[in-house]
Amino acid sequence: PYECLEQSTSRMVPLVLLSELSEAFKLKNDKKASAALVAKLIARISRMQRWDGGFAYWPSSSQSYPWVSAYAAWGLGRANEGGHKVSKRVLQNARSYLHKQLRKKDDKRWPSQDRTTKAYMLYVLTTLGEQPTGYVSHLFEHRGDLTVFGKALLLSAMTRMKKVNKEMIRTLTEAVTSQVHQTAKVAKVEENLGDGYAPMFHSDTRSSAMVLDALLEADPN
C-alpha cells in the first residue's frame, strides 16, 4: 500500500511482459492473477495523474515530476500494447504533458539533467506511436550535454522515426558505441554521475541495457 509511482510502474511492466515470456518459453503463469494485478496497478498509476497530465510520486501529492511522469506514461503504454485496458484519456493527457515539457526552454542550471530528461520524453512519445521529429534537432545539437544513457534514448527515439536524417543516426550511433567499455568477456557502460541523477533511477547496469537496446534498434545485425 506504500508503493510510490516508480515502484508501481516497475512492478507492473514485468507482469505485462510475463504473458509473452510464458508463451515463448512455456513457463507456468497464472494469467488471470497476473492480469488482475496489472489492472490494479494500472488503476493505481492512473490515480496519480495530476491536472497537467503529469504524474506525482504519491497519490496525496499535487506536483508532477518530469522523469517519473515519462516513466509512468511508458509503463501504461506497454500495458496498453500488451492488451490491458488503459484509459485513452489518461494516455492522451500524458502525451500532452510530455509535449509541453519538451517545448519548455532548457534549464541552464542543470543542462545535462534537463536535456537527458527530454531525450527520455522523446523516446517515450515514440513508444506511444508518435513521430515528434520537431524536437530531434535541438537535442542532437546539444548531445554533448547528454549522459550516455541520454544519448542512447535519443538514438532509440530517432531510429523509430521515419523522417530523421540517417547521417544524424550514424553519428549518434558512433558516439554511443564509443562509450562502451569492452573487455575479452563483457561490454558495459560506466558513468560516474552524482546524486543529481538519482531522480532518474540511474545505474550503470541500466545504462548498459539502454545502450544495448539503442544499438539493436539502430543496427539489428
Side-chain angles (χ1 to χ4, degrees), residues 17-34:
L17 300 178
L18 180 59
S19 59
E20 297 177 18
L21 290 171
S22 61
E23 290 179 10
F25 296 99
K26 298 181 180 179
L27 304 173
K28 291 183 179 180
N29 175 30
D30 187 338
K31 292 185 178 181
K32 288 185 178 180
S34 294

Side-chain angles (χ1 to χ4, degrees), residues 116-142:
T116 295
T117 299
K118 288 181 176 178
Y120 184 43
M121 291 179 170
L122 190 70
Y123 166 76
V124 171
L125 284 172
T126 64
T127 68
L128 294 175
E130 297 203 16
Q131 297 279 311
T133 54
Y135 306 112
V136 170
S137 295
H138 178 73
L139 285 172
F140 181 79
E141 289 171 6
H142 294 89

Side-chain angles (χ1 to χ4, degrees), residues 4-6 9 12 45-46 48-58 61-77 90-91 93-99 101 117 120-122 124-125 127-128 199-201:
C4 70
L5 178 66
E6 180 274 322
T9 305
M12 178 185 69
I45 293 167
S46 299
M48 284 187 264
Q49 189 173 47
R50 302 284 77 103
W51 64 271
D52 58 358
F55 293 81
Y57 269 99
W58 306 97
S61 175
S62 61
Q63 183 178 354
S64 297
Y65 291 86
W67 183 274
V68 78
S69 292
Y71 188 58
W74 170 77
L76 291 174
V90 169
L91 287 174
N93 288 345
R95 290 188 186 95
S96 296
Y97 172 82
L98 297 180
H99 278 288
Q101 293 295 313
T117 299
Y120 184 43
M121 291 179 170
L122 190 70
V124 171
L125 284 172
T127 68
L128 294 175
M200 300 180 187
F201 326 135

